[in-house]
Amino acid sequence: MVTRKEYRIKLVSNELLNNDTCYLGFYCPEIASSAIPGQFVNISAGTMFLKRPFGIASVDREKGTFNIGVKVVGKGTEQIKEFAVGTEVDCLGPLGNGFDFEDYDNFILTGGGTGVFPINFAYETLTAAGKKVTVVEGFRNKSQVILNKEGYVITTDAGDAGIKGTVIAGLDTLNIEDPSKTLICCVGPIPMMKAISSWAESKGMKCLVSMEQRMACGAGICLCCIVKVKDDGPDGYKNVRCCKEGPVFNSQEVIF
């Protein structure tokens, strides 16, 4: 079990990616040294009482820094987006259980919306380990395309960048030599993850999803981030905490 601890972290960079999304870098050697792909942090949101959860997008273990992506969806994220370099805030992390990459050599990473940030961390980790990685990401339109790298398969609903359609349209272009030895990792909106889960099942592939529930405490106490997963009990399901038992789950166990 990963030790959870609160730190005072310092903002070292704030890059605007588009009109409502920025990429923040924080100095915190403790988080940078221990975080794994799929984990998240809870960061204080200025004057707001509750911290906000963000998937870790990248780490630099030598410099002691980590990055997150922030899309403005309310007052809390608006305040975080406006943090000036040098700002110090409270942060709890790294939290949750990350992706388990063991037993696989080939990976398909799929992301949509803010899910592209934790997918970026997974990509950096796997490529550094010499693994074969394919990235497929979906966006509404060209203006929303962020963190795109050479070789990524990009889809847009509007069709003004990459392949027209959803992430499934991008997945359908792939030539998968051995599905049983290929792992799909997915982060994004619920409808997208549900569709990718079904696609993976039809191909005989294992799919891990990182659920993006609303969270408050991040430590399993408040019970506001419940995920329904399949169970052998009389109800056929049980409730688990996204922040504690997740956020990463086997997609075939999740009741979307």
Short mmCIF file of all heavy atoms in Angstrom, two decimals, residues 151-188:
data_model
loop_
_atom_site.label_atom_id
_atom_site.label_comp_id
_atom_site.label_asym_id
_atom_site.label_seq_id
_atom_site.Cartn_x
_atom_site.Cartn_y
_atom_site.Cartn_z
N GLY A 151 3.43 10.21 -34.12
CA GLY A 151 3.06 8.80 -34.10
C GLY A 151 1.76 8.51 -33.40
O GLY A 151 1.22 7.41 -33.52
N TYR A 152 1.23 9.49 -32.66
CA TYR A 152 -0.07 9.29 -32.02
C TYR A 152 -1.17 9.20 -33.08
O TYR A 152 -1.12 9.88 -34.11
CB TYR A 152 -0.40 10.47 -31.10
CG TYR A 152 0.25 10.45 -29.74
CD1 TYR A 152 1.36 9.65 -29.47
CD2 TYR A 152 -0.23 11.26 -28.72
CE1 TYR A 152 1.95 9.67 -28.22
CE2 TYR A 152 0.36 11.28 -27.46
CZ TYR A 152 1.45 10.49 -27.22
OH TYR A 152 2.04 10.50 -25.98
N VAL A 153 -2.17 8.38 -32.80
CA VAL A 153 -3.37 8.33 -33.63
C VAL A 153 -4.39 9.27 -33.00
O VAL A 153 -4.82 9.06 -31.87
CB VAL A 153 -3.94 6.89 -33.72
CG1 VAL A 153 -5.21 6.88 -34.57
CG2 VAL A 153 -2.90 5.94 -34.30
N ILE A 154 -4.76 10.31 -33.72
CA ILE A 154 -5.68 11.32 -33.21
C ILE A 154 -7.02 11.25 -33.94
O ILE A 154 -7.06 11.11 -35.17
CB ILE A 154 -5.09 12.73 -33.38
CG1 ILE A 154 -3.79 12.87 -32.59
CG2 ILE A 154 -6.09 13.81 -32.96
CD1 ILE A 154 -3.95 12.68 -31.10
N THR A 155 -8.11 11.34 -33.17
CA THR A 155 -9.44 11.42 -33.77
C THR A 155 -10.14 12.67 -33.25
O THR A 155 -9.88 13.12 -32.14
CB THR A 155 -10.30 10.18 -33.42
OG1 THR A 155 -10.66 10.22 -32.03
CG2 THR A 155 -9.57 8.89 -33.73
N THR A 156 -11.00 13.23 -34.08
CA THR A 156 -11.81 14.38 -33.66
C THR A 156 -13.24 14.18 -34.12
O THR A 156 -13.49 13.69 -35.22
CB THR A 156 -11.28 15.71 -34.23
OG1 THR A 156 -11.15 15.60 -35.66
CG2 THR A 156 -9.93 16.08 -33.64
N ASP A 157 -14.17 14.58 -33.27
CA ASP A 157 -15.58 14.51 -33.63
C ASP A 157 -15.87 15.37 -34.85
O ASP A 157 -16.67 15.00 -35.72
CB ASP A 157 -16.46 14.98 -32.47
CG ASP A 157 -16.33 14.08 -31.24
OD1 ASP A 157 -15.95 12.90 -31.41
OD2 ASP A 157 -16.59 14.56 -30.13
N ALA A 158 -15.22 16.53 -34.92
CA ALA A 158 -15.47 17.46 -36.02
C ALA A 158 -14.76 17.05 -37.31
O ALA A 158 -15.12 17.52 -38.39
CB ALA A 158 -15.02 18.87 -35.61
N GLY A 159 -13.76 16.20 -37.19
CA GLY A 159 -13.03 15.76 -38.38
C GLY A 159 -12.03 16.78 -38.90
O GLY A 159 -11.52 16.64 -40.01
N ASP A 160 -11.71 17.82 -38.09
CA ASP A 160 -10.77 18.84 -38.56
C ASP A 160 -9.33 18.54 -38.16
O ASP A 160 -8.43 19.33 -38.42
CB ASP A 160 -11.19 20.22 -38.06
CG ASP A 160 -11.37 20.30 -36.54
OD1 ASP A 160 -11.30 19.24 -35.89
OD2 ASP A 160 -11.58 21.41 -36.02
N ALA A 161 -9.10 17.39 -37.53
CA ALA A 161 -7.74 16.93 -37.22
C ALA A 161 -7.78 15.41 -37.09
O ALA A 161 -8.71 14.86 -36.49
CB ALA A 161 -7.22 17.56 -35.94
N GLY A 162 -6.80 14.75 -37.68
CA GLY A 162 -6.75 13.30 -37.57
C GLY A 162 -7.91 12.61 -38.24
O GLY A 162 -8.46 13.06 -39.25
N ILE A 163 -8.35 11.51 -37.64
CA ILE A 163 -9.45 10.69 -38.16
C ILE A 163 -10.77 11.26 -37.65
O ILE A 163 -10.90 11.59 -36.49
CB ILE A 163 -9.29 9.23 -37.70
CG1 ILE A 163 -7.96 8.65 -38.23
CG2 ILE A 163 -10.46 8.37 -38.16
CD1 ILE A 163 -7.59 7.33 -37.60
N LYS A 164 -11.74 11.35 -38.53
CA LYS A 164 -13.06 11.83 -38.11
C LYS A 164 -13.78 10.72 -37.36
O LYS A 164 -13.89 9.60 -37.86
CB LYS A 164 -13.90 12.27 -39.31
CG LYS A 164 -15.30 12.77 -38.92
CD LYS A 164 -16.08 13.26 -40.11
CE LYS A 164 -17.50 13.65 -39.76
NZ LYS A 164 -17.58 14.66 -38.69
N GLY A 165 -14.25 11.02 -36.15
CA GLY A 165 -14.97 10.04 -35.37
C GLY A 165 -14.45 9.96 -33.95
O GLY A 165 -13.70 10.82 -33.49
N THR A 166 -14.85 8.90 -33.26
CA THR A 166 -14.44 8.71 -31.88
C THR A 166 -13.13 7.92 -31.80
O THR A 166 -12.57 7.52 -32.83
CB THR A 166 -15.52 7.93 -31.10
OG1 THR A 166 -15.58 6.59 -31.63
CG2 THR A 166 -16.89 8.60 -31.24
N VAL A 167 -12.67 7.67 -30.60
CA VAL A 167 -11.46 6.88 -30.40
C VAL A 167 -11.61 5.49 -31.02
O VAL A 167 -10.63 4.91 -31.51
CB VAL A 167 -11.14 6.76 -28.89
CG1 VAL A 167 -10.01 5.79 -28.65
CG2 VAL A 167 -10.78 8.13 -28.32
N ILE A 168 -12.81 4.96 -31.04
CA ILE A 168 -13.03 3.64 -31.65
C ILE A 168 -12.62 3.64 -33.12
O ILE A 168 -12.05 2.66 -33.62
CB ILE A 168 -14.51 3.21 -31.51
CG1 ILE A 168 -14.90 3.09 -30.03
CG2 ILE A 168 -14.76 1.87 -32.23
CD1 ILE A 168 -14.10 2.08 -29.25
N ALA A 169 -12.89 4.74 -33.83
CA ALA A 169 -12.48 4.84 -35.23
C ALA A 169 -10.97 4.74 -35.35
O ALA A 169 -10.44 4.16 -36.32
CB ALA A 169 -12.98 6.15 -35.83
N GLY A 170 -10.26 5.31 -34.39
CA GLY A 170 -8.81 5.20 -34.39
C GLY A 170 -8.34 3.80 -34.05
O GLY A 170 -7.41 3.27 -34.68
N LEU A 171 -8.97 3.17 -33.08
CA LEU A 171 -8.60 1.80 -32.71
C LEU A 171 -8.82 0.83 -33.88
O LEU A 171 -8.04 -0.12 -34.05
CB LEU A 171 -9.43 1.36 -31.50
CG LEU A 171 -9.06 2.00 -30.16
CD1 LEU A 171 -10.09 1.65 -29.10
CD2 LEU A 171 -7.67 1.59 -29.71
N ASP A 172 -9.85 1.08 -34.66
CA ASP A 172 -10.16 0.18 -35.78
C ASP A 172 -9.09 0.22 -36.87
O ASP A 172 -9.08 -0.66 -37.75
CB ASP A 172 -11.52 0.53 -36.38
CG ASP A 172 -12.69 0.04 -35.53
OD1 ASP A 172 -12.48 -0.91 -34.74
OD2 ASP A 172 -13.79 0.60 -35.65
N THR A 173 -8.21 1.20 -36.85
CA THR A 173 -7.15 1.27 -37.86
C THR A 173 -5.91 0.47 -37.45
O THR A 173 -5.00 0.29 -38.27
CB THR A 173 -6.70 2.74 -38.09
OG1 THR A 173 -6.05 3.24 -36.91
CG2 THR A 173 -7.89 3.62 -38.43
N LEU A 174 -5.87 -0.02 -36.22
CA LEU A 174 -4.68 -0.69 -35.71
C LEU A 174 -4.60 -2.14 -36.17
O LEU A 174 -5.61 -2.84 -36.28
CB LEU A 174 -4.65 -0.64 -34.19
CG LEU A 174 -4.71 0.75 -33.53
CD1 LEU A 174 -4.59 0.61 -32.02
CD2 LEU A 174 -3.65 1.68 -34.08
N ASN A 175 -3.37 -2.59 -36.38
CA ASN A 175 -3.11 -3.99 -36.68
C ASN A 175 -2.50 -4.62 -35.44
O ASN A 175 -1.32 -4.41 -35.13
CB ASN A 175 -2.16 -4.12 -37.88
CG ASN A 175 -1.85 -5.57 -38.22
OD1 ASN A 175 -2.61 -6.47 -37.89
ND2 ASN A 175 -0.72 -5.78 -38.88
N ILE A 176 -3.30 -5.38 -34.71
CA ILE A 176 -2.87 -5.96 -33.44
C ILE A 176 -2.46 -7.41 -33.67
O ILE A 176 -3.29 -8.27 -33.96
CB ILE A 176 -3.99 -5.88 -32.39
CG1 ILE A 176 -4.43 -4.41 -32.23
CG2 ILE A 176 -3.54 -6.46 -31.06
CD1 ILE A 176 -5.70 -4.24 -31.44
N GLU A 177 -1.17 -7.69 -33.56
CA GLU A 177 -0.64 -9.01 -33.90
C GLU A 177 -1.06 -10.07 -32.89
O GLU A 177 -1.41 -11.18 -33.26
CB GLU A 177 0.88 -8.94 -34.00
CG GLU A 177 1.38 -8.04 -35.13
CD GLU A 177 2.89 -8.01 -35.21
OE1 GLU A 177 3.54 -8.68 -34.36
OE2 GLU A 177 3.43 -7.32 -36.10
N ASP A 178 -1.00 -9.77 -31.60
CA ASP A 178 -1.32 -10.75 -30.57
C ASP A 178 -2.15 -10.07 -29.48
O ASP A 178 -1.59 -9.56 -28.50
CB ASP A 178 -0.06 -11.36 -29.97
CG ASP A 178 -0.35 -12.58 -29.11
OD1 ASP A 178 -1.52 -12.76 -28.71
OD2 ASP A 178 0.59 -13.35 -28.83
N PRO A 179 -3.48 -10.08 -29.62
CA PRO A 179 -4.34 -9.40 -28.64
C PRO A 179 -4.14 -9.89 -27.21
O PRO A 179 -4.24 -9.11 -26.26
CB PRO A 179 -5.76 -9.72 -29.14
CG PRO A 179 -5.59 -9.97 -30.61
CD PRO A 179 -4.25 -10.65 -30.73
N SER A 180 -3.85 -11.17 -27.03
CA SER A 180 -3.71 -11.73 -25.69
C SER A 180 -2.50 -11.18 -24.95
O SER A 180 -2.43 -11.25 -23.72
CB SER A 180 -3.63 -13.26 -25.74
OG SER A 180 -2.44 -13.68 -26.39
N LYS A 181 -1.54 -10.62 -25.68
CA LYS A 181 -0.34 -10.08 -25.08
C LYS A 181 -0.31 -8.55 -25.14
O LYS A 181 0.73 -7.94 -24.89
CB LYS A 181 0.90 -10.66 -25.76
CG LYS A 181 1.06 -12.16 -25.53
CD LYS A 181 2.33 -12.69 -26.17
CE LYS A 181 2.49 -14.19 -25.92
NZ LYS A 181 3.73 -14.73 -26.54
N THR A 182 -1.45 -7.96 -25.47
CA THR A 182 -1.54 -6.50 -25.58
C THR A 182 -2.51 -5.98 -24.53
O THR A 182 -3.63 -6.47 -24.41
CB THR A 182 -2.01 -6.09 -26.98
OG1 THR A 182 -1.10 -6.60 -27.96
CG2 THR A 182 -2.06 -4.57 -27.10
N LEU A 183 -2.08 -4.99 -23.78
CA LEU A 183 -2.91 -4.39 -22.74
C LEU A 183 -3.38 -3.00 -23.18
O LEU A 183 -2.58 -2.20 -23.66
CB LEU A 183 -2.12 -4.26 -21.44
CG LEU A 183 -2.83 -3.58 -20.26
CD1 LEU A 183 -3.98 -4.45 -19.75
CD2 LEU A 183 -1.84 -3.28 -19.13
N ILE A 184 -4.68 -2.75 -23.01
CA ILE A 184 -5.22 -1.42 -23.28
C ILE A 184 -5.38 -0.68 -21.95
O ILE A 184 -5.95 -1.22 -21.00
CB ILE A 184 -6.59 -1.50 -23.99
CG1 ILE A 184 -6.45 -2.18 -25.35
CG2 ILE A 184 -7.18 -0.10 -24.17
CD1 ILE A 184 -7.75 -2.24 -26.13
N CYS A 185 -4.89 0.54 -21.91
CA CYS A 185 -5.10 1.40 -20.75
C CYS A 185 -5.89 2.62 -21.22
O CYS A 185 -5.56 3.21 -22.24
CB CYS A 185 -3.76 1.84 -20.15
SG CYS A 185 -2.74 0.48 -19.56
N CYS A 186 -6.91 3.00 -20.45
CA CYS A 186 -7.85 3.99 -20.92
C CYS A 186 -8.19 4.99 -19.81
O CYS A 186 -8.46 4.59 -18.68
CB CYS A 186 -9.11 3.29 -21.41
SG CYS A 186 -10.42 4.37 -21.96
N VAL A 187 -8.18 6.29 -20.16
CA VAL A 187 -8.61 7.33 -19.24
C VAL A 187 -9.41 8.36 -20.03
O VAL A 187 -8.94 8.87 -21.05
CB VAL A 187 -7.42 8.05 -18.56
CG1 VAL A 187 -7.93 8.88 -17.39
CG2 VAL A 187 -6.35 7.08 -18.12
N GLY A 188 -10.61 8.66 -19.56
CA GLY A 188 -11.41 9.65 -20.25
C GLY A 188 -12.85 9.63 -19.79
O GLY A 188 -13.17 9.04 -18.75
#
